[in-house]
Amino acid sequence: MGTGLGSAWLLGDLSSLLKTSLLLGLVLLLLKGSQLYWRRQRLLRTFQSFPSPPAHWFYGHLLEFQNKEELKVTISWVQKFPSAFTRWFSGFMALLQVYDPDYMKVLLGRSDPKANEIYRFLVPWIGEGLLILNGPVWFQHRRLLTPAFHYDILKPYVALMADSVRVMLNKWEKLSNQGSSLEVFEHVSLMTLDTLMKCAFSHQSNCQIERNADDYIRAVREQGNLMFERVRYSLYHNDLIYWFSPQGYQSRQSARWAHEYTDKVIRKRKQHLHEEGGLEAVLKKRHLDFVDILLCAKTENGDTLSDKEVRAEVDTFMFEGHDTTASGISWLFYSMAMNPEHQQKCREELRGILGDGTSISWEHLSQMPYTTMCIKESLRLYPPVPVISRRLSKPLTFPDGRSLPAGAMVSLNIYALHHNPSVWPEPERTLPSATPTPSFPFLLVPGIASGSSLP
């Protein structure tokens, strides 16, 4: 009898606990639903002056970008909506895509911080380096690294770059004899990484021949793909959901491979710096390279950068320094292949400068105007960094009178600007002889591979 009463009491207690849990869950669900509802209402008010294509109340524009090529969809919307449109990643997250030169001038003339909602996805991979930092810390790191990019340091790098290119071309010559097609991006990536290692890290990696950096190159490409996939799917914006997803596991693995490579580079440079006798001894022999400056830099307070800060800057520079350059060069090759008449003019110009085999030098760079125009035109058509984003720190009014409140997220779509028919009369044609639009020439710059979207 006592046992029966005990069992009944236990069942009643479990039933009460279950009811309480369900009630608590329902309350939390209602609170979350209410939070999302008011967030959506706030976003609708924020962007009410900027029409956009119809968006699903929950999915936003996800289906439009999932079923078609993102860049083509974006350009079709650029033609319909002057200056800017609202892009909804979900019903509860949106930003303003801007592609008008006057709009961009206003934004770039301010000091709004980067949109942390997007840039934070990069932190597990490249840490909090210059690409992620904002404000005084960004300025401090940028000032510390400025000496690494002085003209006197950059000039000798031309010969090192030419040497890395010769290694790649010798490989291509052998592969071309096999008669098969060649996927150039991986080869160009290895070449730019080899160049970066020689110039910024004073390290002979031989990665083009020994293929000792293949895992790093694959990790970088995988991280880029995973990053853009995470940006597109709003559920993956939640760190907990992404952590337990297959993509989250894959991202952690590829980040670990990339970190192993950069950690090895840092260890070797520390050892080499020690063997050279320290900072004073190095200064008597040569200019400091990028890693020397990182390892020896001191802030105004006399503090050196922590190991975490050094690793973040090295990860950032190795990624941004080789991958975006490889993207720009690969798309330049594509552009030249698709326009043989321009390719021939560039060939004739370079032959006139270099003759039958003179190695290119710093002085030659100012003597090739047509080739320079072709490079800039390729960067217009295929900008390596197609999008950057900012979160407004204070209200903003655009030239046409439309405005946004503080806290709004804005994306400067460089790709859309470069293909905007109101700026470029024939945006899809390769016209290297055309001068940039006078009112806005400064976005024709190299900057994650074209075809991607990094707000």
Side-chain angles (χ1 to χ4, degrees):
M1 177 122 179
T3 303
L5 288 172
S7 299
W9 175 83
L10 182 61
L11 287 173
D13 198 44
L14 287 173
S15 177
S16 299
L17 181 62
L18 181 60
K19 289 178 181 178
T20 302
S21 299
L22 288 173
L23 182 61
L24 180 61
L26 181 60
V27 170
L28 291 175
L29 186 63
L30 289 172
L31 287 173
K32 187 64 179 178
S34 176
Q35 180 189 37
L36 291 175
Y37 171 80
W38 288 113
R39 180 187 299 174
R40 177 169 173 79
Q41 294 306 308
R42 177 173 57 80
L43 289 171
L44 288 170
R45 289 194 301 272
T46 296
F47 299 112
Q48 63 183 342
S49 300
F50 300 91
S52 70
H56 189 272
W57 71 269
F58 184 77
Y59 297 117
H61 291 130
L62 174 65
L63 297 181
E64 284 85 345
F65 288 104
Q66 188 178 33
N67 298 329
K68 300 177 182 179
E69 293 185 37
E70 180 168 335
L71 295 178
K72 289 184 177 179
V73 173
T74 299
I75 296 306
S76 69
W77 291 357
V78 167
Q79 296 169 356
K80 295 178 182 178
F81 303 97
S83 304
F85 67 81
T86 306
R87 176 171 175 180
W88 292 84
F89 287 92
S90 70
F92 318 102
M93 179 181 175
L95 54 73
L96 186 69
Q97 292 262 14
V98 172
Y99 37 84
D100 177 84
D102 294 323
Y103 270 44
M104 285 194 172
K105 280 184 181 179
V106 173
L107 284 161
L108 293 173
R110 295 161 47 109
S111 56
D112 298 299
K114 296 157 189 170
N116 185 57
E117 291 81 354
I118 304 300
Y119 282 84
R120 69 182 179 85
F121 299 154
L122 287 165
V123 173
W125 170 22
I126 62 174
E128 296 186 20
L130 281 175
L131 183 63
I132 307 297
L133 292 173
N134 284 296
V137 181
W138 176 90
F139 182 78
Q140 180 189 73
H141 284 219
R142 182 68 184 89
R143 186 171 52 79
L144 289 172
L145 295 175
T146 297
F149 303 98
H150 191 277
Y151 274 130
D152 290 339
I153 295 177
L154 297 179
K155 286 180 181 179
Y157 289 170
V158 175
L160 297 175
M161 295 174 187
D163 181 61
S164 294
V165 172
R166 274 192 292 270
V167 173
M168 181 182 72
L169 294 179
N170 289 337
K171 287 169 55 182
W172 285 3
E173 188 172 5
K174 294 176 182 177
L175 291 170
S176 66
N177 294 329
Q178 299 175 8
S180 58
S181 60
L182 181 66
E183 197 285 306
V184 302
F185 184 69
E186 183 176 347
H187 291 270
V188 176
S189 295
L190 285 169
M191 182 272 292
T192 56
L193 181 61
D194 187 29
T195 301
L196 181 70
M197 298 300 290
K198 291 175 183 175
C199 298
F201 298 85
S202 301
H203 176 60
Q204 294 287 340
S205 67
N206 296 318
C207 62
Q208 295 194 77
I209 298 174
E210 297 179 6
R211 305 302 293 264
N212 52 22
D214 286 13
D215 286 345
Y216 177 76
I217 295 294
R218 280 194 292 270
V220 168
R221 186 180 301 182
E222 191 171 88
Q223 279 289 341
N225 292 335
L226 290 167
M227 166 69 187
F228 303 128
E229 186 175 354
R230 187 177 184 185
V231 169
R232 288 190 182 101
Y233 296 98
S234 57
L235 282 178
Y236 284 168
H237 293 184
N238 182 283
D239 291 337
L240 187 64
I241 293 175
Y242 192 69
W243 177 269
F244 287 105
S245 70
Q247 289 82 0
Y249 173 78
Q250 193 177 356
S251 177
R252 294 193 298 276
Q253 288 293 99
S254 58
R256 181 173 60 82
W257 295 333
H259 293 161
E260 287 175 356
Y261 188 80
T262 52
D263 285 343
K264 182 171 66 175
V265 169
I266 295 171
R267 284 195 303 270
K268 286 184 177 181
R269 290 300 294 127
K270 283 184 175 180
Q271 180 182 352
H272 187 60
L273 193 61
H274 177 73
E275 291 172 352
E276 285 188 293
L279 177 62
E280 297 301 326
V282 171
L283 283 170
K284 295 177 182 178
K285 301 177 187 176
R286 59 175 173 82
H287 289 293
L288 296 180
D289 64 22
F290 175 78
V291 183
D292 291 331
I293 292 172
L294 280 176
L295 295 175
C296 301
K298 291 184 181 295
T299 65
E300 294 176 354
N301 299 325
D303 300 325
T304 58
L305 296 180
S306 67
D307 289 344
K308 182 180 179 182
E309 289 174 318
V310 170
R311 202 273 207 56
E313 295 299 354
V314 170
D315 279 330
T316 298
F317 199 75
M318 284 190 66
F319 159 57
E320 289 288 338
H322 95 273
D323 188 70
T324 53
T325 310
S327 173
I329 293 172
S330 299
W331 282 109
L332 172 63
F333 288 165
Y334 171 81
S335 183
M336 290 289 95
M338 297 299 290
N339 297 273
E341 69 281 10
H342 300 310
Q343 180 183 153
Q344 182 59 32
K345 289 181 180 180
C346 290
R347 183 179 291 112
E348 292 171 358
E349 182 177 68
L350 293 172
R351 280 178 175 167
I353 297 170
L354 304 177
D356 294 329
T358 304
S359 181
I360 196 166
S361 68
W362 177 273
E363 289 70 26
H364 291 141
L365 299 180
S366 61
Q367 302 173 23
M368 45 186 77
Y370 195 81
T371 302
T372 301
M373 287 192 292
C374 287
I375 293 171
K376 289 184 176 181
E377 180 68 351
S378 178
L379 290 171
R380 179 188 71 81
L381 288 165
Y382 313 107
V385 176
V387 184
I388 58 176
S389 64
R390 298 290 182 266
R391 180 169 287 283
L392 300 184
S393 57
K394 55 186 178 181
L396 169 67
T397 299
F398 291 109
D400 60 4
R402 293 189 288 182
S403 61
L404 288 174
M409 196 154 53
V410 182
S411 171
L412 290 82
N413 197 314
I414 298 168
Y415 183 89
L417 169 70
H418 289 182
H419 293 257
N420 187 344
S422 65
V423 179
W424 309 90
E426 298 178 277
E428 304 306 321
R429 282 191 63 191
T430 301
L431 298 169
S433 58
T435 57
T437 299
S439 63
F440 203 69
F442 51 87
L443 271 183
L444 288 175
V445 294
I448 316 199
S450 288
S452 60
S453 178
L454 177 61

